[in-house]
Amino acid sequence: LLLQTFALGLAVLPLFKLSKKVLDQNWALIISVIYLLYPALAYTNLYEYHPTALATFFLSFTFFYYIEANFRKFLFFSILALFCQENIPLAIAMFGVMAILEKRNWRWVFIPIVLGGLYFILSVKLISYLNNNTVQFINIYSRWGNAPAEIIKNILFRPDLLVKSVLVPPALKYLLGL
């Protein structure tokens, strides 16, 4: 828990540096304080250890080095972030998509997309293999389909299903709480 607290706190460093670079020192300080006082951050740290908390630390540095265009450090923190949770590779892959939009060179596009995509597929396959049907992860998404391909297809081509799942009282209460 001490490591988790330390990691969540240190994640403010790249946030401060980026804010200072884009805005100024006063705004950087305000944004940093807002981050540290953010209720969801405190709640993450409140109860039990969460590997995703370390991902916050690694992803904040990944984003910082993406903006700074330091590919080696970007890749280093991307790889560390991958080890935190099985859904983090999707965030890493999105850096490649962002690089496409920003017209960066091929390594900024190709490596995050391939690294994130492959790591995601491998981790999901490994988790499914080791899971031995004790937890049915697919049931979380059952309102959109019964298989991964069907779920993705319905989210992309049946936005009505997505809207229906968001416009229910528990989801609305959660969104308003945010």
Side-chain angles (χ1 to χ4, degrees):
L1 289 175
L2 188 61
L3 176 64
Q4 176 174 281
T5 304
F6 190 65
L8 288 170
L10 275 183
V12 79
L13 294 177
L15 178 64
F16 178 80
K17 286 181 172 184
L18 282 175
S19 302
K20 185 177 173 184
K21 180 179 179 175
V22 173
L23 301 166
D24 63 32
Q25 178 132 356
N26 291 331
W27 276 109
L29 186 59
I30 291 168
I31 290 168
S32 298
V33 168
I34 289 171
Y35 165 79
L36 292 170
L37 295 176
Y38 182 50
L41 183 72
Y43 184 77
T44 298
N45 201 36
L46 187 64
Y47 184 70
E48 292 184 348
Y49 168 75
H50 305 282
T52 313
L54 292 180
T56 302
F57 172 77
F58 295 134
L59 286 172
S60 66
F61 277 95
T62 300
F63 185 68
F64 175 74
Y65 289 117
Y66 177 87
I67 297 299
E68 291 289 308
N70 185 329
F71 188 76
R72 286 180 187 220
K73 290 181 180 177
F74 163 80
L75 190 57
F76 175 74
F77 282 101
S78 294
I79 290 168
L80 291 176
L82 290 174
F83 295 124
C84 293
Q85 194 170 4
E86 73 277 358
N87 59 351
I88 300 299
L90 298 175
I92 300 302
M94 293 313 292
F95 280 103
V97 174
M98 197 161 62
I100 291 170
L101 299 174
E102 293 180 355
K103 297 179 177 37
R104 290 197 181 193
N105 73 30
W106 69 270
R107 70 180 180 173
W108 286 98
V109 173
F110 182 74
I111 292 174
I113 290 174
V114 170
L115 181 67
L118 286 176
Y119 196 91
F120 176 74
I121 290 167
L122 288 172
S123 63
V124 167
K125 292 238 181 246
L126 182 63
I127 289 169
S128 297
Y129 176 77
L130 296 174
N131 182 24
N132 201 19
N133 285 328
T134 55
V135 177
Q136 299 294 325
F137 289 106
I138 201 76
N139 289 340
I140 297 169
Y141 307 100
S142 63
R143 64 183 146 268
W144 298 311
N146 296 317
E150 182 184 6
I151 291 166
I152 292 168
K153 183 179 136 199
N154 284 333
I155 287 174
L156 293 174
F157 300 109
R158 294 278 318 274
D160 60 304
L161 294 175
L162 192 58
V163 170
K164 284 179 188 175
S165 62
V166 171
L167 297 178
V168 294
L172 289 172
K173 182 180 177 185
Y174 173 76
L175 290 172
L176 288 172
L178 286 177

